[in-house]
């Protein structure tokens, strides 16, 4: 399918359900294998520390992927039950950054971060985590081929704002597209009672507004 071809969302939704169902079957097996290997690695003297770290990452990633597929399946079928609890912003944000650090070398980026912990947020953590992961992955993908690699993240009591500025020349020549990830954020924000906005000027900016 080319980028200009229209998407049949009804058909795509049906196929997504089938795909996630089948993926879960395989992921359950793979997750069990990784968990077993991870347990074996703790007592093995033949594995290097680097190999043990790789196994632990693989086990953690497989479990997260399994949970993610289950969440998406429930969302697509409209069977997901929201579970609101209170969390510190720093706790949620740490989970997001830990997940992203598995796939990106974040030391290559100049990331300015401010997270306010004055009040806890009442939210469904799995859904909010995936929203924030999608937003930051988009920002990182946008910046990773740009020399400065600058990101700004501000999360105060009313909003979370992610800014990844680029200059006008790069903006015009960049093939960066936001894609399906932001569609998920838009729809999920509504479920969480949040407002999501994106600006497409030179200073690309994504903002989630939280109700006081």
């Amino acid at each position: 399918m080319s980028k200009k071809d229209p998407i049949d969302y009804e058909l795509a939704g049906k196929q997504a359900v089938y795909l996630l169902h089948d993926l879960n079957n395989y992921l359950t097996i793979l997750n069990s294998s990784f968990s077993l290997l991870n347990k074996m690695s703790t007592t093995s003297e033949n594995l290097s520390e680097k190999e043990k770290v790789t196994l632990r990452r693989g086990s953690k990633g497989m479990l997260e992927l399994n949970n993610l597929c289950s969440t998406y399946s429930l969302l697509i079928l409209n069977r997901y039950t929201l579970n609101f609890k209170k969390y510190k912003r720093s706790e949620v944000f740490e989970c997001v950054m830990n997940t992203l650090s598995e796939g990106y070398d974040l030391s290559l980026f100049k990331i300015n971060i401010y997270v306010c912990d004055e009040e806890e947020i009442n939210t469904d953590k799995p859904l909010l985590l995936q929203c924030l992961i999608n937003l930051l992955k988009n920002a990182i993908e946008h910046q990773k081929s740009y020399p400065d690699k600058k990101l700004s993240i501000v999360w105060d009591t009313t909003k979370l704002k992610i800014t990844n500025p680029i200059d006008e020349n790069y903006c015009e020549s960049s093939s960066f597209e936001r894609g399906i990830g932001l569609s998920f954020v838009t729809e999920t924000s509504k479920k969480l009672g949040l407002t999501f906005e994106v600006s497409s000027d030179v200073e690309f900016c994504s903002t989630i507004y939280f109700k006081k």
Side-chain angles (χ1 to χ4, degrees):
M1 177 185 291
S2 71
K3 293 180 180 178
K4 294 182 179 180
D5 289 335
I7 297 175
D8 185 335
Y9 286 101
E10 183 177 353
L11 176 61
K14 290 178 181 177
Q15 295 301 325
V17 172
Y18 303 147
L19 173 62
L20 290 170
H21 176 271
D22 292 341
L23 271 177
N24 272 327
N25 292 336
Y26 289 105
L27 286 172
T28 300
I29 298 170
L30 290 170
N31 189 44
S32 299
S33 300
F34 263 104
S35 297
L36 178 61
L37 286 170
N38 195 27
K39 290 178 181 178
M40 292 172 62
S41 72
T42 58
T43 58
S44 174
E45 297 179 357
N46 298 323
L47 290 177
S48 67
E49 190 58 35
K50 184 177 181 180
E51 289 171 329
K52 290 180 180 180
V53 169
T54 300
L55 272 176
R56 286 196 294 271
R57 283 184 172 180
S59 180
K60 179 174 177 287
M62 196 60 64
L63 178 61
E64 289 177 351
L65 183 56
N66 200 354
N67 292 338
L68 181 62
C69 285
S70 297
T71 299
Y72 269 86
S73 294
L74 292 171
L75 285 170
I76 290 170
L77 296 170
N78 201 27
R79 295 176 183 170
Y80 187 87
T81 302
L82 291 168
N83 183 19
F84 282 86
K85 292 182 180 180
K86 289 190 174 183
Y87 301 94
K88 288 187 175 181
R89 292 178 184 80
S90 57
E91 175 189 347
V92 175
F93 191 73
E94 184 179 1
C95 291
V96 173
M97 297 305 285
N98 285 341
T99 298
L100 290 171
S101 66
E102 300 291 344
Y104 298 96
D105 183 358
L106 298 181
S107 65
L108 299 176
F109 296 82
K110 301 171 186 175
I111 307 178
N112 294 318
I113 300 171
Y114 170 76
V115 178
C116 173
D117 258 347
E118 287 183 10
E119 303 171 11
E120 292 183 324
I121 54 170
N122 190 35
T123 190
D124 181 284
K125 189 177 178 182
L127 282 191
L128 182 60
L129 278 177
Q130 197 55 46
C131 282
L132 302 187
I133 288 169
N134 282 4
L135 287 178
L136 279 166
K137 280 184 70 174
N138 271 351
I140 289 170
E141 287 293 328
H142 197 179
Q143 285 286 314
K144 71 179 185 180
S145 59
Y146 186 63
D148 286 347
K149 295 181 174 60
K150 292 190 297 185
L151 291 172
S152 173
I153 303 162
V154 177
W155 194 355
D156 58 30
T157 57
T158 60
K159 65 183 179 301
L160 185 147
K161 185 174 183 179
I162 302 168
T163 308
N164 46 313
I166 58 176
D167 64 37
E168 293 182 5
N169 293 330
Y170 186 80
C171 182
E172 291 174 358
S173 62
S174 174
S175 59
F176 172 82
E177 293 184 2
R178 288 186 167 83
I180 295 174
L182 291 197
S183 297
F184 172 85
V185 176
T186 301
E187 294 302 316
T188 305
S189 293
K190 294 175 184 177
K191 290 182 180 290
L192 294 173
L194 311 175
T195 304
F196 174 62
E197 292 181 0
V198 178
S199 68
S200 299
D201 54 12
V202 174
E203 190 174 77
F204 283 88
C205 179
S206 303
T207 308
I208 293 181
Y209 293 95
F210 292 81
K211 292 180 179 178
K212 291 282 285 181

